[in-house]
Amino acid sequence: MAASDQDLITALRANPEHGFRLLMHTYMQPVYWHIRRMVVAHDDAQDAAQETFVRVFRSFAQYDEQHSFKAWIFRIASNEALRLLDKQRTTATLSLDEATGDVLSLKADDYFDSGDELAARLQQAILQLPAKQQLTFNLRYYNEMTYEEIAETIGTTPASAKANYHVAKEKIIRFFQDHD
Amino acid sequence: MTNPGMQEPFDFDKVGKRMPYTVPDGFFDQMEANIMKEVVPAPTRAEQSHATQGRTRWIVSTLMAVAAVVFVVVLFHRTPPAPPAPSLSEVATAYHNLCEEDRNYLMEVYQDDPFLNDNTLE
């Protein structure tokens, strides 16, 4: 059974190395998949996920318990993913209002399951969303975060996060209608 | 009644949380090991060398201290070599150089000394 966030915080304070192992057992896969959905390529997701956990370990002292621990971790992960995408771009800094995904790289990655066409098309639809909508949709749909947690993760209000989610969902539905 | 020209909206439940992505076998264990290596690094060669140097320095210091203690003990417990015994002619000269009073005193004190005049040991 995965440890609760409060258990993880207590463990990290009592014994950082042991607490951090517990944290990785709980968050390793959710964080990796969250980043992978944004950056698409496995190697990139691996780099960004590793960097995320190193940052979590090194900056744990700065974590403010007034805020959600889960949102804090996903905020670091989202920033790492956006930073990596930004580095890959030759143009200006990536804005949260721009689409992040390289749809062509979806099928080019070595670790892509070409047998699941519907799942691949859903990822294509998500990747065409602006980064803020994409993050909101993923955090709600895949990670089942509350709008409050999403708001803390991406730095917005719960109402705005809710609106972003519904707009994103509408755009995905429209994508399927336009591409059928 | 549904419009035959109208398309059914995309059903998210048909996909659920499935994703078209995979990872290599043992990937998450390997990633955990990589991260632990980075955040809790093993002692570097320089650190190991520093530790070895410290240990060596401690051993050498201890040995030097022990050697110094042994040297001091030996120095202060060594018995000084006995001065060489004067020859009979030196004794006779010294006796001859004494004044009359001292010669008489010596004769009085030692003429009956059993150790000096013990003929039984000869």
Side-chain angles (χ1 to χ4, degrees), chain B residues 47-70:
Chain B
E47 286 167 340
Q48 280 176 334
S49 163
H50 185 72
T52 307
Q53 281 177 358
R55 224 175 5 253
T56 307
R57 206 174 300 135
W58 186 85
I59 290 168
V60 169
S61 305
T62 305
L63 288 175
M64 285 175 69
V66 169
V69 168
V70 169

Side-chain angles (χ1 to χ4, degrees), chain A:
Chain A
M1 192 180 135
S4 73
D5 284 354
Q6 193 50 55
D7 291 343
L8 294 175
I9 293 165
T10 305
L12 274 160
R13 292 206 169 120
N15 180 339
E17 193 177 328
H18 171 69
F20 188 60
R21 278 191 192 281
L22 285 180
L23 182 143
M24 282 201 289
H25 289 162
T26 305
Y27 280 105
M28 171 84 72
Q29 295 205 25
V31 162
Y32 168 81
W33 290 119
H34 172 66
I35 293 172
R36 179 81 186 266
R37 283 187 283 270
M38 293 189 71
V39 302
V40 178
H42 164 70
D43 290 345
D44 291 341
Q46 181 180 3
D47 289 347
Q50 281 190 198
E51 191 54 36
T52 296
F53 283 102
V54 170
R55 279 178 189 273
V56 165
F57 184 81
R58 291 186 180 153
S59 56
F60 175 68
Q62 279 103 58
Y63 164 65
D64 177 0
E65 257 189 272
Q66 301 290 317
H67 300 283
S68 156
F69 191 53
K70 185 180 184 181
W72 182 69
I73 292 171
F74 275 85
R75 187 182 179 94
I76 295 172
S78 303
N79 285 338
E80 282 305 315
L82 291 171
R83 192 178 12 203
L84 192 140
L85 290 166
D86 189 34
K87 224 190 312 180
Q88 289 172 347
R89 291 192 165 204
T90 51
T91 54
T93 304
L94 182 73
S95 144
L96 277 178
D97 296 324
E98 292 176 71
T100 64
D102 177 359
V103 179
L104 290 175
S105 68
L106 190 66
K107 292 184 178 177
D109 194 72
D110 287 341
Y111 298 101
F112 173 74
D113 177 12
S114 55
D116 198 340
E117 185 63 31
L118 198 56
R121 288 183 64 207
L122 176 57
Q123 289 308 309
Q124 283 184 333
I126 295 168
L127 287 166
Q128 291 184 352
L129 298 170
K132 197 181 272 183
Q133 287 174 14
Q134 198 181 124
L135 276 168
T136 306
F137 181 83
N138 285 339
L139 291 169
R140 178 76 179 163
Y141 186 78
Y142 291 103
N143 299 102
E144 297 177 6
M145 275 191 178
T146 62
Y147 291 118
E148 284 76 14
E149 287 172 328
I150 295 170
E152 280 193 18
T153 304
I154 63 174
T156 186
T157 62
S160 173
K162 190 173 185 178
N164 268 323
Y165 177 71
H166 288 291
V167 170
K169 210 170 168 185
E170 288 303 317
K171 284 186 179 177
I172 291 168
I173 291 169
R174 208 175 311 136
F175 174 91
F176 276 93
Q177 286 170 344
D178 293 346
H179 292 81
D180 263 345

Side-chain angles (χ1 to χ4, degrees), chain B residues 38 49-50 53 64-65 76 78 98 107 118:
Chain B
E38 197 162 339
S49 163
H50 185 72
Q53 281 177 358
M64 285 175 69
F76 285 99
R78 204 174 56 177
L98 291 173
M107 288 303 288
D118 187 3

